Amino acid sequence: MNSSTRVNSSTKPLACAIGLAVALASSLAAAETGLEEVVVTSQLRETTQLDTPTSVSVLGADAIEARGATNLEQLLNLAPNVNFSSGASRGRFVQIRGIGERSQFIDPVNPSVGLLVDGIDFTGLGLAASTLDMQQVEILRGPQGTLYGANALAGLINMTSNAPSTESFARVSAEAAQYGSRTLSAVTSGPLSEQLAYRFAVQNQQSDGYVHNRFLNRDDTNNIDETAARGKLSYQANDDLQLDFTLFYLDADNGYDAFTLDNSRNTLSDQPGWDRQETLAGAASGLWSGSDLFTVKSVLSAASSDTEYGYDEDWVHVGFHPDEYVSTDNYLRDRDNLSADVRLVSTDASRLFGGSTGWVAGIYLRTEEEALERNASFSSHFDTDNAALYGQLDTALTERLALITGLRLEQRRADYRDSLLVADRTDENLWGGNITLQFALDEDALIYGTVSRGYKAGGVNGRIISASASNPAIGSDTFLFDTEHMLNYELGIKGDWLENRLQAQLAAFYQDRSDVQAKQSIANITSDGISFDDYLANAAGGRTTGLEAEVNFQASDDLRLFATLGWLNAEFEDFISSVHVDARDDYTGEVTPISLNGRDLAHAPNYQYFTGAEYALTSNLTARLELEGKDDFYFSNSHNEKSTAYELVNARLTYRGDSWDVSLWGRNLTDEVVYTRGFYFSNQFGNNPANGYAPEGYYQLGEPRVAGISGSYTF
């Protein structure tokens, strides 16, 4: 079956839902009020979502609450062409338009998707993406070469929590659900003086998880136990100077016991793993408008994170089978980063070229130190320093036509060393940018076309250099991998119609990638046992085409309809993947090259959608129904194992009083089986001694049907 047939047949639920919604809407009276205007804060200049000439999803506090999300992973399916992978307690690795990491073990990672929370850089640290007291989440798709640089080849996620309020208030919230899930949170905010205001929020979430360990007779080996706290101060020093301070703390002590030999939710491990993170981070930002020529925006942030990730590698207990092996794996990784961003933004008095052009100029500095210890037998250090100059011009060519040009020049230095006496230093000069034409169809709609360039730094496959001495399949050409570049071509239209009751945006894009960084794995099979050597290799290229659509429709005062749709075709070009042939008989081993030319990238489903409706049954009672779906996708670039396509149904019923609310909700009501991570050891070995370690596919399962109750009270 070809991809177009799959899309047509599998989007029938979406088409039916939209058709039903439109039919229902046509029978109702038009709403008296329109939809709220959404401001995007992650751009060099703040602008509304419908005036931003790029593909961006903005998820506000209402969407987060309706989703019942406590972490970013629970929001990602709401945005088109955004996916994630687990292999841990949460989906910590994000892919946008098919591009992004899916795991991290020994080697350091150069991320493809940036993550900022209140200006603090948490790229690669997904557990820190708590939605505690969050105002909105912005997901920018496509390379952010001007805005963020080396760590945003695929896109950028920007999360902003609520600011301190000028009036005092306090709110407590609680939630209870199946599988021992319970969440408690509290928020308080208000003025400390005429110039100073505060906000403080804290949350603890616990869940037993969805796994039963039969050997240990426990239901909590894949549990969630997270405590997050955030404090903010806002200081209006004078009419020209605004200062804001943020302090964030996270203590996550989650379990990790997800994989089984029979792909069920019943594990047999005797040493279940964990997924832990303790983070202390802070940021100070300033806005100074004391000059007639420009305003100054600055952010200084620092974060220190200690993580521990481990698992029972054999997935069973001692005594399971006479031919068993016993193994565990553990990674202690400490990461400290410091970043500073200072930009000047023009005023009307300093516009260039006869007043037609506004400008932004900035400098960005970032340093990060990462130390890894694996099983007390291997250690490495990876230090990076980034320095960038960037700027943007916004030129009005006519009353309705504007030209936006941006450029970023970045220098990146990386220093890697490990206990196997591998040492390497790289020094790169990188550049990215964008050229955009924007045409206003009228006051409420625009079309745009953009060409943007992104980049992702190269590096060294650290441990594989030492492993090459014992693995004949590893050649010198795999020691280093090159910088990846991408050109993104995008056309879009967005606007609001029907007196702002209908908001919509549509984007079509083509992405041309060169020297694509693709993860590979080679098994080293000797008389002493079996080990894996992961490394990054450069595919010759890749091409991606796709569509992204979002619609929000206030059909009446009582009914709101919403939908997103993503279609994606992300493929390799001229990529030869290496697959190791089992050589346990002669202990020499060989590698079989397999062409992946034209094959879809891993974690790049051809389609995904999200749609639903909110209906006010009474002035106090609201019902919400959601339908979301995703096509199957490859799990890896080293094998052809796939997930299965799925459709999920979610529902929520909320009653709101004067100062309180309570909700009954359910997710995945049809109890659909969802795979979030998968492996297949073809031509290598399985993990089950009971069948002679025959090659098999193994999967991590997503959330089953879950129902619960939540509520809050505001003082």
Side-chain angles (χ1 to χ4, degrees):
M1 184 182 299
N2 60 39
S3 60
S4 61
T5 304
R6 288 202 307 270
V7 171
N8 291 336
S9 62
S10 300
T11 55
K12 285 183 179 179
L14 175 63
C16 292
I18 294 177
L20 179 62
V22 172
L24 179 60
S26 64
S27 65
L28 298 171
E32 295 181 359
T33 58
L35 296 164
E36 293 185 2
E37 189 174 66
V38 177
V39 176
V40 177
T41 62
S42 55
Q43 298 294 290
L44 296 181
R45 291 178 179 270
E46 287 191 1
T47 183
T48 66
Q49 182 181 15
L50 298 180
D51 288 330
T52 304
T54 190
S55 183
V56 55
S57 297
V58 181
L59 308 174
D62 290 343
I64 297 171
E65 179 185 359
R67 190 72 169 178
T70 58
N71 186 274
L72 174 66
E73 67 162 357
Q74 296 165 294
L75 297 171
L76 294 175
N77 282 347
L78 276 63
N81 288 332
V82 178
N83 200 8
F84 64 92
S85 65
S86 291
S89 63
R90 290 192 181 276
R92 296 194 281 121
F93 302 96
V94 181
Q95 304 85 43
I96 296 179
R97 294 179 175 176
I99 304 171
E101 288 61 51
R102 301 177 301 281
S103 63
Q104 183 178 16
F105 295 98
I106 288 181
D107 287 327
V109 167
N110 300 329
S112 300
V113 178
L115 174 62
L116 298 177
V117 184
D118 287 328
I120 305 171
D121 193 337
F122 284 119
T123 301
L125 294 168
L127 284 183
S130 168
T131 60
L132 169 65
D133 196 33
M134 196 60 56
Q135 175 185 334
Q136 68 184 36
V137 176
E138 302 167 14
I139 303 176
L140 287 76
R141 292 175 289 271
Q144 304 301 312
T146 302
L147 180 65
Y148 192 59
N151 291 337
L153 176 76
L156 175 68
I157 299 175
N158 184 63
M159 305 177 69
T160 306
S161 64
N162 288 302
S165 60
T166 56
E167 296 183 0
S168 297
F169 91 100
R171 183 176 64 248
V172 293
S173 303
E175 179 177 283
Q178 295 172 281
Y179 301 98
S181 298
R182 59 270 189 199
T183 303
L184 291 173
S185 62
V187 179
T188 180
S189 183
L192 295 173
S193 69
E194 290 185 357
Q195 295 174 290
L196 184 65
Y198 80 97
R199 193 176 188 101
F200 178 75
V202 62
Q203 177 176 278
N204 176 258
Q205 181 187 11
Q206 299 187 39
S207 173
D208 291 340
Y210 314 119
V211 165
H212 173 65
N213 188 306
R214 286 182 172 176
F215 177 74
L216 299 176
N217 194 26
R218 288 172 54 187
D219 292 324
D220 62 349
T221 55
N222 201 50
N223 70 306
I224 296 292
D225 184 359
E226 297 176 353
T227 298
R230 179 183 289 109
K232 303 184 80 170
L233 288 175
S234 181
Y235 179 56
Q236 187 70 49
N238 52 52
D239 292 340
D240 299 325
L241 180 60
Q242 169 77 38
L243 299 174
D244 294 285
F245 305 91
T246 300
L247 188 64
F248 176 76
Y249 175 75
L250 172 73
D251 183 10
D253 188 11
N254 301 339
Y256 179 47
D257 185 27
F259 282 94
T260 65
L261 298 179
D262 61 355
N263 293 318
S264 70
R265 298 188 188 275
N266 300 299
T267 63
L268 294 172
S269 54
D270 55 358
Q271 301 181 76
W274 41 77
D275 186 16
R276 298 166 176 159
Q277 179 176 325
E278 185 174 16
T279 292
L280 180 63
S285 61
L287 175 62
W288 182 75
S289 56
S291 170
D292 293 334
L293 301 179
F294 55 81
T295 59
V296 181
K297 297 182 178 181
S298 62
V299 179
L300 174 66
S301 74
S304 178
S305 298
D306 298 334
T307 69
E308 184 173 11
Y309 171 70
Y311 53 93
D312 190 331
E313 203 165 24
D314 54 75
W315 303 346
V316 293
H317 54 85
V318 174
F320 174 76
H321 192 273
D323 296 331
E324 69 189 12
Y325 74 99
V326 178
S327 179
T328 61
D329 209 358
N330 193 66
Y331 300 82
L332 288 166
R333 181 175 271 110
D334 300 336
R335 184 182 297 176
D336 299 309
N337 70 59
L338 178 68
S339 66
D341 191 349
V342 180
R343 71 183 61 153
L344 307 181
V345 182
S346 65
T347 64
D348 289 340
S350 61
R351 293 177 65 87
L352 305 175
F353 310 124
S356 66
T357 303
W359 53 268
V360 177
I363 183 172
Y364 174 81
L365 302 172
R366 180 179 185 268
T367 182
E368 182 170 274
E369 298 178 356
E370 181 179 303
L372 169 69
E373 181 178 330
R374 182 193 185 193
N375 297 330
S377 61
F378 173 82
S379 63
S380 67
H381 294 269
F382 183 57
D383 303 332
T384 58
D385 294 293
N386 297 62
L389 296 173
Y390 62 88
Q392 180 172 293
L393 299 177
D394 299 73
T395 302
L397 301 177
T398 69
E399 290 185 359
R400 302 173 68 180
L401 182 64
L403 173 67
I404 302 171
T405 54
L407 178 66
R408 186 184 189 96
L409 304 176
E410 183 164 354
Q411 183 181 63
R412 182 180 186 272
R413 297 175 180 173
D415 188 351
Y416 175 88
R417 60 195 185 279
D418 64 30
S419 58
L420 298 176
L421 303 182
V422 175
D424 189 87
R425 175 174 294 179
T426 60
D427 192 339
E428 296 184 85
N429 294 316
L430 308 165
W431 71 273
N434 66 282
I435 300 175
T436 301
L437 276 174
Q438 174 181 317
F439 181 75
L441 295 173
D442 52 41
E443 293 182 357
D444 302 315
L446 66 86
I447 58 174
Y448 68 89
T450 187
V451 178
S452 55
R453 186 182 194 268
Y455 50 89
K456 182 179 178 182
V460 57
N461 286 307
R463 180 174 177 268
I464 198 170
I465 297 179
S466 296
S468 65
S470 59
N471 192 336
I474 300 176
S476 60
D477 58 339
T478 61
F479 293 168
L480 301 174
F481 56 92
D482 294 329
T483 300
E484 178 180 346
H485 299 96
M486 179 167 69
L487 285 174
N488 175 70
Y489 307 88
E490 184 172 312
L491 292 172
I493 180 172
K494 54 176 60 180
D496 63 76
W497 296 271
L498 303 179
E499 298 179 345
N500 198 31
R501 292 188 295 111
L502 174 63
Q503 295 178 350
Q505 52 182 344
L506 173 67
F509 60 88
Y510 173 77
Q511 297 183 158
D512 185 8
R513 302 168 66 191
S514 59
D515 294 319
V516 176
Q517 295 178 12
K519 189 172 184 180
Q520 296 286 277
S521 180
I522 293 181
N524 187 20
I525 306 173
T526 70
S527 56
D528 297 325
I530 303 170
S531 65
F532 285 95
D533 297 312
D534 292 333
Y535 65 98
L536 282 172
N538 290 106
R543 57 179 181 269
T544 303
T545 55
L547 295 171
E548 292 155 355
E550 298 190 37
V551 178
N552 196 3
F553 181 37
Q554 190 70 48
S556 73
D557 288 336
D558 298 326
L559 177 65
R560 185 173 69 90
L561 309 171
F562 44 86
T564 68
L565 174 65
W567 175 79
L568 186 69
N569 184 27
E571 299 178 344
F572 286 112
E573 282 187 325
D574 301 325
F575 180 39
I576 304 298
S577 177
S578 298
V579 176
H580 197 284
V581 176
D582 193 333
R584 275 177 275 194
D585 292 333
D586 56 17
Y587 310 119
T588 58
E590 60 184 69
V591 171
T592 300
I594 294 179
S595 174
L596 295 184
N597 183 43
R599 204 208 78 166
D600 287 347
L601 274 62
H603 276 260
N606 289 131
Y607 71 84
Q608 61 186 94
Y609 63 86
F610 170 78
T611 186
E614 279 188 350
Y615 187 72
L617 301 171
T618 69
S619 58
N620 300 99
L621 187 63
T622 302
R624 180 183 175 101
L625 183 65
E626 300 175 351
L627 175 67
E628 61 182 277
K630 188 178 296 183
D631 192 17
D632 58 21
F633 54 85
Y634 291 101
F635 285 121
S636 173
N637 299 324
S638 300
H639 58 75
N640 288 325
E641 195 68 9
K642 278 188 169 186
S643 71
T644 58
Y646 67 81
E647 293 83 32
L648 304 182
V649 179
N650 313 311
R652 191 177 190 93
L653 188 65
T654 301
Y655 185 89
R656 300 187 185 278
D658 292 336
S659 57
W660 59 275
D661 63 78
V662 62
S663 297
L664 298 174
W665 53 265
R667 294 194 293 264
N668 191 7
L669 294 179
T670 59
D671 203 20
E672 187 89 1
V673 175
V674 177
Y675 298 142
T676 59
R677 189 77 175 122
F679 302 95
Y680 187 77
F681 301 109
S682 174
N683 294 324
Q684 297 173 3
F685 67 100
N687 211 36
N688 188 355
N691 65 7
Y693 294 103
E696 289 183 303
Y698 304 108
Y699 315 106
Q700 181 173 343
L701 304 182
E703 185 180 61
R705 177 171 52 227
V706 179
I709 182 172
S710 59
S712 66
Y713 185 84
T714 302
F715 297 90

